[in-house]
Amino acid sequence: MDRTEKCEKKFGKLFGGKPTVSEGSDPEFMRILQRFIFGEVSYTGSLDDRMRELITVTVLTVYQTLPQLKAHTVACLNIGVTPVEIRETVYRCAPFIGFPKTLNAIAAINEVFTEKGITLPLENCETVTESDRYEKGLALQAPVYGTEIAERYEWLPEEFSRAVPRFLTELCFSDFMTRRGQDEKTSELLTVVMLAAIGGADLQVRSHVEGALKVGCTKEEIVCALVCAMPYTGFPRLFNALNCSKEFLS
């Protein structure tokens, strides 16, 4: 198959329709976009369609491109990604992009779920309590990332030197990363993509690339994920992520 044929096959699988030929106000641009994403990038590397769509959902959440997020939420459902998997992918963006943007994305995916007749709220995926959230968060954080973050910010005023590392452990690693609905390998791969998409987070990209390798992701899978995100993030952020992680990926 040439890339036009591949595009038609992939587009139909994801969206249940046909890609642009001459329809709409900007068919030339849409042909370039669709044939590149769905006829080339989607066939490059080892990741399956499920993982590629979760990557796309992550990046669209970061960028708040909500119409496209709705379209790819539909694509996820079309290929068998569960509503819980989609929701957990969006939820876990919160510590990195903040609560307001995450709420916008939640509203967008919930709109799709409602249109599809999916009952809300979805099942509860919490696994921690107020009394054990620090311990459970640290149990996830320490083996992969260590606890050096506390030493790194000892220079802060006393209250904040304790609070900032604790907030990271309890919010990021406990409140979100301990939730059911997404395995650790998937979570780390999506976090790498998320940080690359945000930009200006080279230190964190490096740290999470190393973390992704520790939890079982291969070098090829990490590169594939970053390339898969590139049509949405642009080449500069792909190159920045690859360059800052070369030590781990080469």
Side-chain angles (χ1 to χ4, degrees):
M1 290 190 294
D2 62 24
R3 74 176 193 141
T4 303
E5 294 168 323
K6 289 179 178 178
C7 174
E8 185 171 352
K9 179 179 179 181
K10 187 71 70 176
F11 195 90
K13 180 180 180 181
L14 295 175
F15 303 106
K18 291 185 177 295
T20 299
V21 177
S22 58
E23 303 83 4
S25 59
D26 292 275
E28 297 164 83
F29 183 81
M30 293 308 295
R31 288 196 301 269
I32 292 169
L33 179 158
Q34 291 172 351
R35 291 175 185 178
F36 180 65
I37 296 176
F38 304 111
E40 294 187 77
V41 176
S42 292
Y43 289 88
T44 303
S46 66
L47 295 178
D48 61 15
D49 288 338
R50 172 191 163 278
M51 192 69 227
R52 291 173 190 270
E53 280 304 303
L54 291 178
I55 288 166
T56 303
V57 164
T58 298
V59 177
L60 297 177
T61 296
V62 171
Y63 291 151
Q64 296 289 280
T65 44
L66 302 182
Q68 292 81 9
L69 176 59
K70 291 178 185 178
H72 282 275
T73 299
V74 173
C76 282
L77 295 172
N78 285 343
I79 61 173
V81 180
T82 69
V84 166
E85 289 174 314
I86 300 167
R87 181 194 66 181
E88 292 306 306
T89 295
V90 172
Y91 272 24
R92 294 174 195 225
C93 293
F96 303 91
I97 66 172
F99 290 115
K101 290 179 179 179
T102 309
L103 283 170
N104 289 344
I106 291 169
I109 64 171
N110 281 349
E111 185 176 325
V112 174
F113 294 160
T114 300
E115 290 172 357
K116 296 293 184 181
I118 297 166
T119 302
L120 298 174
L122 301 178
E123 67 184 80
N124 188 313
C125 288
E126 294 173 317
T127 67
V128 299
T129 66
E130 289 300 304
S131 62
D132 66 8
R133 61 192 287 260
Y134 180 81
E135 288 73 19
K136 287 189 174 180
L138 191 64
L140 280 183
Q141 178 184 4
V144 181
Y145 299 104
T147 56
E148 294 85 359
I149 193 78
E151 298 173 6
R152 188 177 301 163
Y153 291 101
E154 284 180 341
W155 56 271
L156 290 171
E158 184 177 356
E159 180 181 3
F160 293 97
S161 69
R162 298 191 305 271
V164 170
R166 176 172 56 80
F167 289 161
L168 176 68
T169 300
E170 292 181 340
L171 181 69
C172 183
F173 289 97
S174 184
D175 290 346
F176 288 104
M177 298 305 177
T178 63
R179 293 174 58 82
R180 294 185 297 272
Q182 190 174 97
D183 62 83
E184 190 175 24
K185 179 179 174 181
T186 298
S187 182
E188 279 302 315
L189 198 58
L190 294 179
T191 300
V192 169
V193 169
M194 191 187 326
L195 291 165
I198 290 169
D202 288 0
L203 178 64
Q204 290 80 12
V205 171
R206 278 175 50 85
S207 177
H208 281 273
V209 166
E210 185 178 13
L213 292 169
K214 286 181 180 179
V215 300
C217 297
T218 68
K219 295 178 182 180
E220 191 273 346
E221 286 172 330
I222 296 170
V223 173
C224 184
L226 291 169
V227 171
C228 178
M230 174 267 296
Y232 308 97
T233 66
F235 277 107
R237 286 183 173 166
L238 167 64
F239 290 148
N240 287 347
L242 293 176
N243 290 338
C244 76
S245 305
K246 184 179 178 181
E247 172 188 351
F248 302 112
L249 297 177
S250 60

